[in-house]
């Protein structure tokens, strides 16, 4: 068993780390039958292959999932709020390494990628994500629309770019342009 590959039967704590959700939430989901678990010797074990198949990769039947890669807490909060209202499953991370780890675990319907990350330049992360999932739509979010990093990405082909500061309505138009249902205005 390699260090990167979690065991097939995971403890509740290992599952909490794997899914990046709080330990009490794992217990709750196991007890409600929402995670594929068995009791062995009075302790819960969660089967990773079923978790991957039924929980993490169920985008065909479940809600669309979005990965947001940005280290700005206020922008992360905007995305979390918007994507929750729009009915998206969402994973919000603050570094390129976390984004790669999530993309290895799960298929996403859409990615919002900041160009300035603390660990990996945005253009390098863009290439890595496209190598892993060639058809993955990636929307670039940047405060530097004239940057060399963005030029490198644009040289690879057309891409949607959102200029910071990102606003709710701009996000809504982008989601709809990528074929997903956005959030309707309160008046409708």
């Amino acid at each position: 068993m390699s260090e990167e590959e979690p065991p097939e039967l995971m403890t509740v704590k290992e599952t909490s780390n794997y899914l990046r959700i709080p330990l009490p939430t794992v217990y709750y989901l196991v007890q409600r039958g929402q995670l594929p678990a068995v009791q062995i010797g009075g302790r819960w074990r969660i089967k990773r292959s079923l978790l991957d198949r039924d929980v993490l990769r169920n985008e065909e039947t479940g809600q669309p999932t979005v990965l947001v890669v940005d280290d700005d807490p206020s922008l992360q909060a905007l995305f979390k709020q918007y994507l929750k209202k729009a009915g998206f499953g969402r994973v919000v991370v603050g570094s390129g390494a976390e984004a790669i780890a999530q993309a290895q675990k799960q298929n996403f319907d859409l990615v919002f990628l900041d160009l300035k990350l603390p660990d990996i330049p945005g253009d390098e992360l863009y290439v890595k994500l496209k190598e892993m999932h060639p058809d993955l739509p990636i929307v670039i979010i940047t405060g530097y629309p004239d940057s060399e990093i963005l030029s490198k990405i644009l040289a690879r082909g057309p891409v949607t770019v959102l200029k910071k500061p990102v606003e709710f309505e701009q996000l809504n138009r982008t989601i709809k342009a990528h074929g997903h249902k956005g959030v309707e205005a309160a008046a409708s």
Side-chain angles (χ1 to χ4, degrees):
M1 178 168 48
S2 73
E3 267 186 54
E4 290 185 24
E5 187 75 9
E8 175 59 18
L9 282 177
M10 297 188 298
T11 64
V12 173
K13 185 173 184 184
E14 289 169 333
T15 303
S16 170
N17 291 335
Y18 185 67
L19 294 176
R20 302 186 71 215
I21 59 177
L23 197 57
T25 304
V26 176
Y27 277 112
Y28 176 78
L29 294 172
V30 164
Q31 290 166 348
R32 293 197 51 195
Q34 294 180 307
L35 290 179
V38 293
Q39 266 194 317
I40 300 174
R43 297 191 185 266
W44 288 106
R45 295 290 183 261
I46 294 86
K47 196 165 185 182
R48 186 178 49 84
S49 60
L50 293 178
L51 189 66
D52 289 346
R53 187 192 77 200
D54 298 339
V55 178
L56 294 179
R57 300 181 193 265
N58 68 349
E59 66 275 355
E60 291 85 12
T61 55
Q63 61 189 175
T65 54
V66 175
L67 174 63
V68 178
V69 188
D70 197 304
D71 60 335
D72 177 354
S74 63
L75 198 59
Q76 287 180 348
L78 170 75
F79 272 101
K80 285 177 184 174
Q81 178 188 14
Y82 172 81
L83 294 169
K84 182 178 182 180
K85 282 184 180 176
F88 284 90
R90 60 217 168 276
V91 176
V92 179
V93 298
S95 72
E98 290 175 296
I100 290 168
Q102 289 298 322
Q104 288 171 334
K105 263 198 263 192
Q106 177 176 357
N107 292 327
F108 290 95
D109 295 289
L110 186 59
V111 173
F112 287 93
L113 172 62
D114 185 19
L115 293 182
K116 301 267 185 184
L117 296 169
D119 57 346
I120 300 174
D123 58 325
E124 288 179 28
L125 182 56
Y126 179 89
V127 170
K128 286 180 181 174
L129 291 173
K130 282 295 193 178
E131 285 171 354
M132 293 165 65
H133 305 284
D135 296 330
L136 179 63
I138 300 176
V139 175
I140 302 301
I141 44 180
T142 184
Y144 306 93
D146 298 327
S147 73
E148 187 179 323
I149 295 174
L150 182 57
S151 297
K152 288 179 185 175
I153 292 171
L154 291 170
R156 300 180 66 85
V159 66
T160 303
V161 179
L162 291 182
K163 190 171 183 284
K164 287 183 180 179
V166 176
E167 295 173 4
F168 196 86
E169 194 48 48
Q170 181 185 25
L171 198 49
N172 208 30
R173 283 193 306 273
T174 303
I175 289 286
K176 288 179 177 180
H178 281 87
H180 300 288
K181 187 175 74 96
V183 174
E184 296 306 315
S188 56

